[in-house]
PDB file of all heavy atoms in Angstrom:
ATOM      1  N   PRO A   1      14.252 -20.528 -40.514  1.00  0.00           N
ATOM      2  CA  PRO A   1      13.111 -20.560 -39.476  1.00  0.00           C
ATOM      3  C   PRO A   1      13.425 -19.548 -38.315  1.00  0.00           C
ATOM      4  O   PRO A   1      14.513 -19.410 -37.930  1.00  0.00           O
ATOM      5  CB  PRO A   1      13.092 -21.900 -38.987  1.00  0.00           C
ATOM      6  CG  PRO A   1      14.458 -22.538 -39.246  1.00  0.00           C
ATOM      7  CD  PRO A   1      14.885 -21.795 -40.602  1.00  0.00           C
ATOM      8  N   PHE A   2      12.340 -18.760 -38.008  1.00  0.00           N
ATOM      9  CA  PHE A   2      12.478 -17.969 -36.783  1.00  0.00           C
ATOM     10  C   PHE A   2      12.576 -18.934 -35.612  1.00  0.00           C
ATOM     11  O   PHE A   2      12.136 -19.994 -35.486  1.00  0.00           O
ATOM     12  CB  PHE A   2      11.225 -16.982 -36.555  1.00  0.00           C
ATOM     13  CG  PHE A   2      11.240 -15.781 -37.231  1.00  0.00           C
ATOM     14  CD1 PHE A   2      10.565 -15.522 -38.404  1.00  0.00           C
ATOM     15  CD2 PHE A   2      11.976 -14.746 -36.697  1.00  0.00           C
ATOM     16  CE1 PHE A   2      10.616 -14.250 -39.072  1.00  0.00           C
ATOM     17  CE2 PHE A   2      12.154 -13.417 -37.314  1.00  0.00           C
ATOM     18  CZ  PHE A   2      11.358 -13.254 -38.478  1.00  0.00           C
ATOM     19  N   GLN A   3      13.346 -18.315 -34.569  1.00  0.00           N
ATOM     20  CA  GLN A   3      13.672 -19.212 -33.448  1.00  0.00           C
ATOM     21  C   GLN A   3      12.872 -18.442 -32.293  1.00  0.00           C
ATOM     22  O   GLN A   3      12.808 -17.208 -32.175  1.00  0.00           O
ATOM     23  CB  GLN A   3      15.226 -19.171 -33.106  1.00  0.00           C
ATOM     24  CG  GLN A   3      16.026 -19.803 -34.180  1.00  0.00           C
ATOM     25  CD  GLN A   3      15.674 -21.272 -34.429  1.00  0.00           C
ATOM     26  OE1 GLN A   3      15.608 -22.086 -33.527  1.00  0.00           O
ATOM     27  NE2 GLN A   3      15.390 -21.605 -35.785  1.00  0.00           N
ATOM     28  N   TYR A   4      12.436 -19.326 -31.404  1.00  0.00           N
ATOM     29  CA  TYR A   4      11.474 -18.680 -30.325  1.00  0.00           C
ATOM     30  C   TYR A   4      11.408 -19.678 -29.111  1.00  0.00           C
ATOM     31  O   TYR A   4      11.386 -20.963 -29.334  1.00  0.00           O
ATOM     32  CB  TYR A   4      10.011 -18.633 -30.875  1.00  0.00           C
ATOM     33  CG  TYR A   4       8.950 -18.448 -30.020  1.00  0.00           C
ATOM     34  CD1 TYR A   4       8.532 -17.159 -29.458  1.00  0.00           C
ATOM     35  CD2 TYR A   4       8.181 -19.573 -29.620  1.00  0.00           C
ATOM     36  CE1 TYR A   4       7.520 -17.031 -28.522  1.00  0.00           C
ATOM     37  CE2 TYR A   4       7.162 -19.468 -28.744  1.00  0.00           C
ATOM     38  CZ  TYR A   4       6.798 -18.185 -28.098  1.00  0.00           C
ATOM     39  OH  TYR A   4       5.801 -18.070 -27.313  1.00  0.00           O
ATOM     40  N   ILE A   5      11.617 -19.057 -27.926  1.00  0.00           N
ATOM     41  CA  ILE A   5      11.544 -19.933 -26.733  1.00  0.00           C
ATOM     42  C   ILE A   5      10.611 -19.204 -25.728  1.00  0.00           C
ATOM     43  O   ILE A   5      10.805 -18.028 -25.374  1.00  0.00           O
ATOM     44  CB  ILE A   5      12.952 -20.115 -26.039  1.00  0.00           C
ATOM     45  CG1 ILE A   5      13.970 -20.827 -27.072  1.00  0.00           C
ATOM     46  CG2 ILE A   5      12.800 -20.944 -24.758  1.00  0.00           C
ATOM     47  CD1 ILE A   5      15.288 -20.860 -26.447  1.00  0.00           C
ATOM     48  N   LYS A   6       9.610 -19.903 -25.365  1.00  0.00           N
ATOM     49  CA  LYS A   6       8.767 -19.345 -24.351  1.00  0.00           C
ATOM     50  C   LYS A   6       9.365 -19.520 -22.951  1.00  0.00           C
ATOM     51  O   LYS A   6      10.014 -20.529 -22.580  1.00  0.00           O
ATOM     52  CB  LYS A   6       7.366 -20.176 -24.327  1.00  0.00           C
ATOM     53  CG  LYS A   6       6.359 -19.670 -23.237  1.00  0.00           C
ATOM     54  CD  LYS A   6       5.094 -20.457 -23.153  1.00  0.00           C
ATOM     55  CE  LYS A   6       4.224 -20.096 -22.080  1.00  0.00           C
ATOM     56  NZ  LYS A   6       2.934 -20.887 -22.045  1.00  0.00           N
ATOM     57  N   ALA A   7       9.292 -18.379 -22.143  1.00  0.00           N
ATOM     58  CA  ALA A   7      10.012 -18.402 -20.892  1.00  0.00           C
ATOM     59  C   ALA A   7       9.346 -19.311 -19.868  1.00  0.00           C
ATOM     60  O   ALA A   7       8.146 -19.457 -19.777  1.00  0.00           O
ATOM     61  CB  ALA A   7       9.882 -16.943 -20.290  1.00  0.00           C
ATOM     62  N   ASP A   8      10.292 -20.008 -19.092  1.00  0.00           N
ATOM     63  CA  ASP A   8       9.881 -20.842 -18.032  1.00  0.00           C
ATOM     64  C   ASP A   8      10.722 -20.420 -16.828  1.00  0.00           C
ATOM     65  O   ASP A   8      11.890 -20.582 -16.819  1.00  0.00           O
ATOM     66  CB  ASP A   8      10.137 -22.309 -18.444  1.00  0.00           C
ATOM     67  CG  ASP A   8       9.693 -23.308 -17.332  1.00  0.00           C
ATOM     68  OD1 ASP A   8       9.801 -22.948 -16.108  1.00  0.00           O
ATOM     69  OD2 ASP A   8       9.306 -24.412 -17.608  1.00  0.00           O
ATOM     70  N   SER A   9      10.053 -19.758 -15.888  1.00  0.00           N
ATOM     71  CA  SER A   9      10.824 -19.147 -14.729  1.00  0.00           C
ATOM     72  C   SER A   9      11.504 -20.229 -13.963  1.00  0.00           C
ATOM     73  O   SER A   9      12.668 -19.919 -13.393  1.00  0.00           O
ATOM     74  CB  SER A   9       9.848 -18.316 -13.832  1.00  0.00           C
ATOM     75  OG  SER A   9       8.836 -19.161 -13.326  1.00  0.00           O
ATOM     76  N   ALA A  10      11.058 -21.354 -13.885  1.00  0.00           N
ATOM     77  CA  ALA A  10      11.754 -22.393 -13.076  1.00  0.00           C
ATOM     78  C   ALA A  10      12.962 -22.986 -13.790  1.00  0.00           C
ATOM     79  O   ALA A  10      13.979 -23.204 -13.201  1.00  0.00           O
ATOM     80  CB  ALA A  10      10.743 -23.678 -12.833  1.00  0.00           C
ATOM     81  N   LYS A  11      12.869 -23.051 -15.162  1.00  0.00           N
ATOM     82  CA  LYS A  11      14.035 -23.453 -15.979  1.00  0.00           C
ATOM     83  C   LYS A  11      15.018 -22.244 -16.253  1.00  0.00           C
ATOM     84  O   LYS A  11      16.193 -22.519 -16.686  1.00  0.00           O
ATOM     85  CB  LYS A  11      13.667 -24.096 -17.278  1.00  0.00           C
ATOM     86  CG  LYS A  11      12.780 -25.368 -17.163  1.00  0.00           C
ATOM     87  CD  LYS A  11      12.415 -25.858 -18.362  1.00  0.00           C
ATOM     88  CE  LYS A  11      11.586 -27.213 -18.317  1.00  0.00           C
ATOM     89  NZ  LYS A  11      11.093 -27.634 -19.591  1.00  0.00           N
ATOM     90  N   LYS A  12      14.583 -21.009 -16.152  1.00  0.00           N
ATOM     91  CA  LYS A  12      15.377 -19.916 -16.473  1.00  0.00           C
ATOM     92  C   LYS A  12      16.001 -20.095 -17.816  1.00  0.00           C
ATOM     93  O   LYS A  12      17.207 -19.941 -18.064  1.00  0.00           O
ATOM     94  CB  LYS A  12      16.484 -19.614 -15.482  1.00  0.00           C
ATOM     95  CG  LYS A  12      15.854 -19.350 -14.064  1.00  0.00           C
ATOM     96  CD  LYS A  12      16.981 -19.045 -13.017  1.00  0.00           C
ATOM     97  CE  LYS A  12      16.447 -18.715 -11.717  1.00  0.00           C
ATOM     98  NZ  LYS A  12      17.361 -18.534 -10.617  1.00  0.00           N
ATOM     99  N   ASN A  13      15.137 -20.364 -18.808  1.00  0.00           N
ATOM    100  CA  ASN A  13      15.536 -20.760 -20.134  1.00  0.00           C
ATOM    101  C   ASN A  13      15.698 -19.597 -21.074  1.00  0.00           C
ATOM    102  O   ASN A  13      15.976 -19.778 -22.397  1.00  0.00           O
ATOM    103  CB  ASN A  13      14.614 -21.752 -20.708  1.00  0.00           C
ATOM    104  CG  ASN A  13      13.179 -21.330 -20.857  1.00  0.00           C
ATOM    105  OD1 ASN A  13      12.743 -20.437 -20.160  1.00  0.00           O
ATOM    106  ND2 ASN A  13      12.394 -21.924 -21.649  1.00  0.00           N
ATOM    107  N   THR A  14      15.200 -18.369 -20.808  1.00  0.00           N
ATOM    108  CA  THR A  14      15.188 -17.239 -21.633  1.00  0.00           C
ATOM    109  C   THR A  14      15.978 -16.093 -21.010  1.00  0.00           C
ATOM    110  O   THR A  14      16.165 -15.903 -19.842  1.00  0.00           O
ATOM    111  CB  THR A  14      13.849 -16.845 -22.009  1.00  0.00           C
ATOM    112  OG1 THR A  14      13.125 -16.490 -20.889  1.00  0.00           O
ATOM    113  CG2 THR A  14      13.074 -17.918 -22.737  1.00  0.00           C
ATOM    114  N   LEU A  15      16.276 -15.054 -21.892  1.00  0.00           N
ATOM    115  CA  LEU A  15      16.742 -13.787 -21.444  1.00  0.00           C
ATOM    116  C   LEU A  15      15.740 -12.752 -21.121  1.00  0.00           C
ATOM    117  O   LEU A  15      15.905 -11.988 -20.294  1.00  0.00           O
ATOM    118  CB  LEU A  15      17.694 -13.188 -22.510  1.00  0.00           C
ATOM    119  CG  LEU A  15      18.885 -14.110 -22.929  1.00  0.00           C
ATOM    120  CD1 LEU A  15      19.663 -13.554 -24.134  1.00  0.00           C
ATOM    121  CD2 LEU A  15      19.919 -14.263 -21.743  1.00  0.00           C
ATOM    122  N   ASN A  16      14.674 -12.893 -21.756  1.00  0.00           N
ATOM    123  CA  ASN A  16      13.473 -12.049 -21.516  1.00  0.00           C
ATOM    124  C   ASN A  16      12.581 -12.746 -20.521  1.00  0.00           C
ATOM    125  O   ASN A  16      12.471 -13.934 -20.491  1.00  0.00           O
ATOM    126  CB  ASN A  16      12.703 -11.669 -22.829  1.00  0.00           C
ATOM    127  CG  ASN A  16      13.574 -10.808 -23.584  1.00  0.00           C
ATOM    128  OD1 ASN A  16      14.020  -9.730 -23.206  1.00  0.00           O
ATOM    129  ND2 ASN A  16      13.687 -11.031 -24.912  1.00  0.00           N
ATOM    130  N   SER A  17      11.580 -11.972 -19.864  1.00  0.00           N
ATOM    131  CA  SER A  17      10.672 -12.575 -18.981  1.00  0.00           C
ATOM    132  C   SER A  17       9.505 -13.354 -19.635  1.00  0.00           C
ATOM    133  O   SER A  17       8.938 -14.230 -19.090  1.00  0.00           O
ATOM    134  CB  SER A  17      10.157 -11.503 -18.085  1.00  0.00           C
ATOM    135  OG  SER A  17       9.524 -10.555 -18.706  1.00  0.00           O
ATOM    136  N   ASN A  18       9.217 -12.989 -20.868  1.00  0.00           N
ATOM    137  CA  ASN A  18       8.147 -13.655 -21.581  1.00  0.00           C
ATOM    138  C   ASN A  18       8.521 -14.679 -22.584  1.00  0.00           C
ATOM    139  O   ASN A  18       8.023 -15.776 -22.561  1.00  0.00           O
ATOM    140  CB  ASN A  18       7.134 -12.544 -22.232  1.00  0.00           C
ATOM    141  CG  ASN A  18       6.372 -11.729 -21.276  1.00  0.00           C
ATOM    142  OD1 ASN A  18       6.065 -12.081 -20.268  1.00  0.00           O
ATOM    143  ND2 ASN A  18       6.322 -10.428 -21.604  1.00  0.00           N
ATOM    144  N   TYR A  19       9.356 -14.225 -23.438  1.00  0.00           N
ATOM    145  CA  TYR A  19       9.979 -15.166 -24.507  1.00  0.00           C
ATOM    146  C   TYR A  19      11.146 -14.497 -25.250  1.00  0.00           C
ATOM    147  O   TYR A  19      11.274 -13.320 -25.145  1.00  0.00           O
ATOM    148  CB  TYR A  19       8.855 -15.497 -25.549  1.00  0.00           C
ATOM    149  CG  TYR A  19       8.299 -14.252 -26.296  1.00  0.00           C
ATOM    150  CD1 TYR A  19       8.962 -13.690 -27.416  1.00  0.00           C
ATOM    151  CD2 TYR A  19       7.059 -13.584 -25.845  1.00  0.00           C
ATOM    152  CE1 TYR A  19       8.492 -12.561 -28.057  1.00  0.00           C
ATOM    153  CE2 TYR A  19       6.676 -12.481 -26.515  1.00  0.00           C
ATOM    154  CZ  TYR A  19       7.305 -11.981 -27.647  1.00  0.00           C
ATOM    155  OH  TYR A  19       6.808 -10.919 -28.186  1.00  0.00           O
ATOM    156  N   ASP A  20      11.889 -15.337 -25.768  1.00  0.00           N
ATOM    157  CA  ASP A  20      12.909 -14.822 -26.689  1.00  0.00           C
ATOM    158  C   ASP A  20      12.622 -15.141 -28.186  1.00  0.00           C
ATOM    159  O   ASP A  20      12.201 -16.271 -28.492  1.00  0.00           O
ATOM    160  CB  ASP A  20      14.326 -15.569 -26.292  1.00  0.00           C
ATOM    161  CG  ASP A  20      14.914 -15.129 -24.947  1.00  0.00           C
ATOM    162  OD1 ASP A  20      14.479 -14.141 -24.402  1.00  0.00           O
ATOM    163  OD2 ASP A  20      15.803 -15.837 -24.434  1.00  0.00           O
ATOM    164  N   LEU A  21      12.774 -14.162 -28.976  1.00  0.00           N
ATOM    165  CA  LEU A  21      12.565 -14.383 -30.469  1.00  0.00           C
ATOM    166  C   LEU A  21      13.686 -13.863 -31.312  1.00  0.00           C
ATOM    167  O   LEU A  21      14.171 -12.793 -30.896  1.00  0.00           O
ATOM    168  CB  LEU A  21      11.270 -13.598 -30.801  1.00  0.00           C
ATOM    169  CG  LEU A  21      10.816 -13.509 -32.274  1.00  0.00           C
ATOM    170  CD1 LEU A  21      10.369 -14.896 -32.650  1.00  0.00           C
ATOM    171  CD2 LEU A  21       9.693 -12.415 -32.482  1.00  0.00           C
ATOM    172  N   TRP A  22      14.287 -14.668 -32.220  1.00  0.00           N
ATOM    173  CA  TRP A  22      15.270 -14.123 -32.965  1.00  0.00           C
ATOM    174  C   TRP A  22      15.322 -14.871 -34.357  1.00  0.00           C
ATOM    175  O   TRP A  22      14.801 -15.817 -34.626  1.00  0.00           O
ATOM    176  CB  TRP A  22      16.596 -14.326 -32.200  1.00  0.00           C
ATOM    177  CG  TRP A  22      17.101 -15.773 -32.157  1.00  0.00           C
ATOM    178  CD1 TRP A  22      18.211 -16.324 -32.900  1.00  0.00           C
ATOM    179  CD2 TRP A  22      16.841 -16.760 -31.129  1.00  0.00           C
ATOM    180  NE1 TRP A  22      18.305 -17.590 -32.444  1.00  0.00           N
ATOM    181  CE2 TRP A  22      17.534 -17.895 -31.308  1.00  0.00           C
ATOM    182  CE3 TRP A  22      15.927 -16.697 -30.036  1.00  0.00           C
ATOM    183  CZ2 TRP A  22      17.383 -19.031 -30.565  1.00  0.00           C
ATOM    184  CZ3 TRP A  22      15.767 -17.945 -29.218  1.00  0.00           C
ATOM    185  CH2 TRP A  22      16.427 -19.013 -29.553  1.00  0.00           C
ATOM    186  N   SER A  23      16.096 -14.117 -35.183  1.00  0.00           N
ATOM    187  CA  SER A  23      16.482 -14.609 -36.486  1.00  0.00           C
ATOM    188  C   SER A  23      17.988 -14.752 -36.573  1.00  0.00           C
ATOM    189  O   SER A  23      18.722 -13.821 -36.057  1.00  0.00           O
ATOM    190  CB  SER A  23      16.045 -13.676 -37.598  1.00  0.00           C
ATOM    191  OG  SER A  23      16.791 -13.743 -38.822  1.00  0.00           O
ATOM    192  N   TYR A  24      18.562 -15.884 -37.175  1.00  0.00           N
ATOM    193  CA  TYR A  24      19.904 -15.963 -37.340  1.00  0.00           C
ATOM    194  C   TYR A  24      20.444 -15.052 -38.415  1.00  0.00           C
ATOM    195  O   TYR A  24      21.665 -14.775 -38.501  1.00  0.00           O
ATOM    196  CB  TYR A  24      20.284 -17.434 -37.640  1.00  0.00           C
ATOM    197  CG  TYR A  24      20.096 -18.444 -36.566  1.00  0.00           C
ATOM    198  CD1 TYR A  24      19.239 -19.454 -36.752  1.00  0.00           C
ATOM    199  CD2 TYR A  24      20.763 -18.245 -35.382  1.00  0.00           C
ATOM    200  CE1 TYR A  24      18.999 -20.311 -35.700  1.00  0.00           C
ATOM    201  CE2 TYR A  24      20.641 -19.127 -34.389  1.00  0.00           C
ATOM    202  CZ  TYR A  24      19.656 -20.230 -34.550  1.00  0.00           C
ATOM    203  OH  TYR A  24      19.489 -21.126 -33.445  1.00  0.00           O
ATOM    204  N   SER A  25      19.548 -14.469 -39.167  1.00  0.00           N
ATOM    205  CA  SER A  25      19.902 -13.398 -40.156  1.00  0.00           C
ATOM    206  C   SER A  25      21.048 -13.945 -41.069  1.00  0.00           C
ATOM    207  O   SER A  25      20.926 -15.009 -41.690  1.00  0.00           O
ATOM    208  CB  SER A  25      20.250 -12.125 -39.470  1.00  0.00           C
ATOM    209  OG  SER A  25      20.552 -11.081 -40.370  1.00  0.00           O
ATOM    210  N   GLN A  26      22.157 -13.211 -41.113  1.00  0.00           N
ATOM    211  CA  GLN A  26      23.295 -13.611 -42.033  1.00  0.00           C
ATOM    212  C   GLN A  26      24.191 -14.576 -41.345  1.00  0.00           C
ATOM    213  O   GLN A  26      25.186 -14.997 -42.010  1.00  0.00           O
ATOM    214  CB  GLN A  26      24.140 -12.313 -42.398  1.00  0.00           C
ATOM    215  CG  GLN A  26      23.359 -11.350 -43.239  1.00  0.00           C
ATOM    216  CD  GLN A  26      23.509  -9.957 -42.769  1.00  0.00           C
ATOM    217  OE1 GLN A  26      22.983  -9.616 -41.677  1.00  0.00           O
ATOM    218  NE2 GLN A  26      24.209  -9.048 -43.558  1.00  0.00           N
ATOM    219  N   ASP A  27      23.990 -15.003 -40.147  1.00  0.00           N
ATOM    220  CA  ASP A  27      24.811 -15.944 -39.467  1.00  0.00           C
ATOM    221  C   ASP A  27      24.573 -17.374 -39.949  1.00  0.00           C
ATOM    222  O   ASP A  27      23.462 -17.884 -39.649  1.00  0.00           O
ATOM    223  CB  ASP A  27      24.611 -15.828 -37.978  1.00  0.00           C
ATOM    224  CG  ASP A  27      25.606 -16.787 -37.187  1.00  0.00           C
ATOM    225  OD1 ASP A  27      26.268 -17.551 -37.787  1.00  0.00           O
ATOM    226  OD2 ASP A  27      25.644 -16.631 -35.969  1.00  0.00           O
ATOM    227  N   ASP A  28      25.461 -18.028 -40.703  1.00  0.00           N
ATOM    228  CA  ASP A  28      25.129 -19.379 -41.253  1.00  0.00           C
ATOM    229  C   ASP A  28      26.063 -20.337 -40.440  1.00  0.00           C
ATOM    230  O   ASP A  28      26.196 -21.403 -40.854  1.00  0.00           O
ATOM    231  CB  ASP A  28      25.329 -19.383 -42.707  1.00  0.00           C
ATOM    232  CG  ASP A  28      26.681 -19.072 -43.144  1.00  0.00           C
ATOM    233  OD1 ASP A  28      27.590 -18.689 -42.287  1.00  0.00           O
ATOM    234  OD2 ASP A  28      26.943 -19.110 -44.420  1.00  0.00           O
ATOM    235  N   LYS A  29      26.657 -19.969 -39.364  1.00  0.00           N
ATOM    236  CA  LYS A  29      27.525 -20.818 -38.599  1.00  0.00           C
ATOM    237  C   LYS A  29      26.923 -21.289 -37.323  1.00  0.00           C
ATOM    238  O   LYS A  29      27.030 -22.414 -36.977  1.00  0.00           O
ATOM    239  CB  LYS A  29      28.885 -20.141 -38.337  1.00  0.00           C
ATOM    240  CG  LYS A  29      29.774 -19.858 -39.628  1.00  0.00           C
ATOM    241  CD  LYS A  29      30.916 -19.162 -39.275  1.00  0.00           C
ATOM    242  CE  LYS A  29      31.802 -18.908 -40.541  1.00  0.00           C
ATOM    243  NZ  LYS A  29      33.019 -18.120 -40.295  1.00  0.00           N
ATOM    244  N   ASN A  30      26.277 -20.424 -36.587  1.00  0.00           N
ATOM    245  CA  ASN A  30      25.831 -20.715 -35.214  1.00  0.00           C
ATOM    246  C   ASN A  30      24.238 -21.000 -35.239  1.00  0.00           C
ATOM    247  O   ASN A  30      23.525 -20.569 -34.407  1.00  0.00           O
ATOM    248  CB  ASN A  30      26.162 -19.530 -34.265  1.00  0.00           C
ATOM    249  CG  ASN A  30      27.567 -19.211 -34.324  1.00  0.00           C
ATOM    250  OD1 ASN A  30      28.396 -20.016 -33.849  1.00  0.00           O
ATOM    251  ND2 ASN A  30      27.878 -18.060 -34.785  1.00  0.00           N
ATOM    252  N   VAL A  31      23.869 -21.841 -36.235  1.00  0.00           N
ATOM    253  CA  VAL A  31      22.421 -21.960 -36.442  1.00  0.00           C
ATOM    254  C   VAL A  31      21.772 -22.941 -35.542  1.00  0.00           C
ATOM    255  O   VAL A  31      20.528 -23.135 -35.675  1.00  0.00           O
ATOM    256  CB  VAL A  31      22.197 -22.443 -37.958  1.00  0.00           C
ATOM    257  CG1 VAL A  31      22.580 -21.265 -38.927  1.00  0.00           C
ATOM    258  CG2 VAL A  31      22.842 -23.654 -38.246  1.00  0.00           C
ATOM    259  N   MET A  32      22.487 -23.517 -34.529  1.00  0.00           N
ATOM    260  CA  MET A  32      21.943 -24.323 -33.544  1.00  0.00           C
ATOM    261  C   MET A  32      21.980 -23.729 -32.216  1.00  0.00           C
ATOM    262  O   MET A  32      21.490 -24.271 -31.176  1.00  0.00           O
ATOM    263  CB  MET A  32      22.472 -25.734 -33.588  1.00  0.00           C
ATOM    264  CG  MET A  32      22.233 -26.605 -34.868  1.00  0.00           C
ATOM    265  SD  MET A  32      20.400 -26.864 -35.154  1.00  0.00           S
ATOM    266  CE  MET A  32      20.211 -28.182 -33.970  1.00  0.00           C
ATOM    267  N   ALA A  33      22.558 -22.537 -32.030  1.00  0.00           N
ATOM    268  CA  ALA A  33      22.779 -21.818 -30.762  1.00  0.00           C
ATOM    269  C   ALA A  33      21.396 -21.258 -30.322  1.00  0.00           C
ATOM    270  O   ALA A  33      20.499 -21.051 -31.189  1.00  0.00           O
ATOM    271  CB  ALA A  33      23.783 -20.654 -30.897  1.00  0.00           C
ATOM    272  N   LYS A  34      21.255 -21.167 -28.988  1.00  0.00           N
ATOM    273  CA  LYS A  34      20.090 -20.643 -28.444  1.00  0.00           C
ATOM    274  C   LYS A  34      20.303 -19.249 -27.780  1.00  0.00           C
ATOM    275  O   LYS A  34      21.474 -18.913 -27.585  1.00  0.00           O
ATOM    276  CB  LYS A  34      19.440 -21.546 -27.426  1.00  0.00           C
ATOM    277  CG  LYS A  34      18.979 -22.866 -28.014  1.00  0.00           C
ATOM    278  CD  LYS A  34      18.438 -23.815 -26.861  1.00  0.00           C
ATOM    279  CE  LYS A  34      17.962 -25.030 -27.587  1.00  0.00           C
ATOM    280  NZ  LYS A  34      17.226 -25.959 -26.564  1.00  0.00           N
ATOM    281  N   SER A  35      19.206 -18.518 -27.467  1.00  0.00           N
ATOM    282  CA  SER A  35      19.394 -17.230 -26.921  1.00  0.00           C
ATOM    283  C   SER A  35      20.268 -17.090 -25.634  1.00  0.00           C
ATOM    284  O   SER A  35      21.079 -16.354 -25.494  1.00  0.00           O
ATOM    285  CB  SER A  35      18.022 -16.602 -26.628  1.00  0.00           C
ATOM    286  OG  SER A  35      17.279 -17.481 -25.755  1.00  0.00           O
ATOM    287  N   LYS A  36      20.064 -18.084 -24.817  1.00  0.00           N
ATOM    288  CA  LYS A  36      20.840 -18.178 -23.435  1.00  0.00           C
ATOM    289  C   LYS A  36      22.349 -18.355 -23.747  1.00  0.00           C
ATOM    290  O   LYS A  36      23.153 -18.040 -22.907  1.00  0.00           O
ATOM    291  CB  LYS A  36      20.350 -19.329 -22.604  1.00  0.00           C
ATOM    292  CG  LYS A  36      19.007 -18.987 -21.893  1.00  0.00           C
ATOM    293  CD  LYS A  36      19.117 -17.961 -20.803  1.00  0.00           C
ATOM    294  CE  LYS A  36      19.648 -18.612 -19.540  1.00  0.00           C
ATOM    295  NZ  LYS A  36      19.648 -17.697 -18.370  1.00  0.00           N
ATOM    296  N   ASP A  37      22.679 -18.948 -24.927  1.00  0.00           N
ATOM    297  CA  ASP A  37      24.231 -19.165 -25.219  1.00  0.00           C
ATOM    298  C   ASP A  37      24.863 -17.884 -25.365  1.00  0.00           C
ATOM    299  O   ASP A  37      26.088 -17.756 -25.267  1.00  0.00           O
ATOM    300  CB  ASP A  37      24.256 -19.939 -26.562  1.00  0.00           C
ATOM    301  CG  ASP A  37      23.689 -21.337 -26.371  1.00  0.00           C
ATOM    302  OD1 ASP A  37      23.713 -21.840 -25.247  1.00  0.00           O
ATOM    303  OD2 ASP A  37      23.220 -21.934 -27.466  1.00  0.00           O
ATOM    304  N   THR A  38      24.193 -16.816 -25.641  1.00  0.00           N
ATOM    305  CA  THR A  38      24.760 -15.495 -25.864  1.00  0.00           C
ATOM    306  C   THR A  38      25.159 -14.742 -24.586  1.00  0.00           C
ATOM    307  O   THR A  38      25.902 -13.736 -24.605  1.00  0.00           O
ATOM    308  CB  THR A  38      23.890 -14.515 -26.700  1.00  0.00           C
ATOM    309  OG1 THR A  38      22.798 -14.210 -25.967  1.00  0.00           O
ATOM    310  CG2 THR A  38      23.509 -15.156 -28.058  1.00  0.00           C
ATOM    311  N   GLU A  39      24.586 -15.317 -23.470  1.00  0.00           N
ATOM    312  CA  GLU A  39      25.054 -14.794 -22.151  1.00  0.00           C
ATOM    313  C   GLU A  39      26.538 -14.984 -21.917  1.00  0.00           C
ATOM    314  O   GLU A  39      27.224 -13.928 -21.420  1.00  0.00           O
ATOM    315  CB  GLU A  39      24.257 -15.418 -21.031  1.00  0.00           C
ATOM    316  CG  GLU A  39      22.923 -14.770 -20.657  1.00  0.00           C
ATOM    317  CD  GLU A  39      22.274 -15.388 -19.487  1.00  0.00           C
ATOM    318  OE1 GLU A  39      22.423 -16.641 -19.280  1.00  0.00           O
ATOM    319  OE2 GLU A  39      21.688 -14.694 -18.758  1.00  0.00           O
ATOM    320  N   ALA A  40      27.104 -16.105 -22.218  1.00  0.00           N
ATOM    321  CA  ALA A  40      28.499 -16.374 -22.053  1.00  0.00           C
ATOM    322  C   ALA A  40      29.287 -15.738 -23.261  1.00  0.00           C
ATOM    323  O   ALA A  40      30.579 -15.587 -23.057  1.00  0.00           O
ATOM    324  CB  ALA A  40      28.687 -17.861 -21.927  1.00  0.00           C
ATOM    325  N   ASN A  41      28.692 -15.621 -24.376  1.00  0.00           N
ATOM    326  CA  ASN A  41      29.473 -15.153 -25.476  1.00  0.00           C
ATOM    327  C   ASN A  41      28.607 -14.243 -26.363  1.00  0.00           C
ATOM    328  O   ASN A  41      27.881 -14.645 -27.163  1.00  0.00           O
ATOM    329  CB  ASN A  41      29.918 -16.366 -26.353  1.00  0.00           C
ATOM    330  CG  ASN A  41      30.630 -16.033 -27.592  1.00  0.00           C
ATOM    331  OD1 ASN A  41      31.016 -14.801 -27.771  1.00  0.00           O
ATOM    332  ND2 ASN A  41      31.020 -17.085 -28.359  1.00  0.00           N
TER     333      ASN A  41
END
């Protein structure tokens, strides 16, 4: 499944101002991680 988060400026829940969209592609380990998790790693 494609992963997608609509931006909420109050929650600061995305890296982009509108939405984050991503595919885990070949990654079969971090399949519950979210876009914001990549800020720290």
Side-chain angles (χ1 to χ4, degrees):
F2 269 104
Q3 302 298 306
Y4 163 84
I5 300 175
K6 180 183 176 183
D8 183 326
S9 57
K11 294 179 181 176
K12 298 182 179 177
N13 60 337
T14 58
L15 299 173
N16 291 311
S17 58
N18 294 324
Y19 60 83
D20 291 346
L21 175 70
W22 72 98
S23 154
Y24 291 119
S25 185
Q26 295 133 293
D27 186 352
D28 60 359
K29 294 180 181 177
N30 303 298
V31 297
M32 294 300 281
K34 295 184 179 181
S35 52
K36 286 285 282 185
D37 296 333
T38 64
E39 272 188 323
N41 181 7

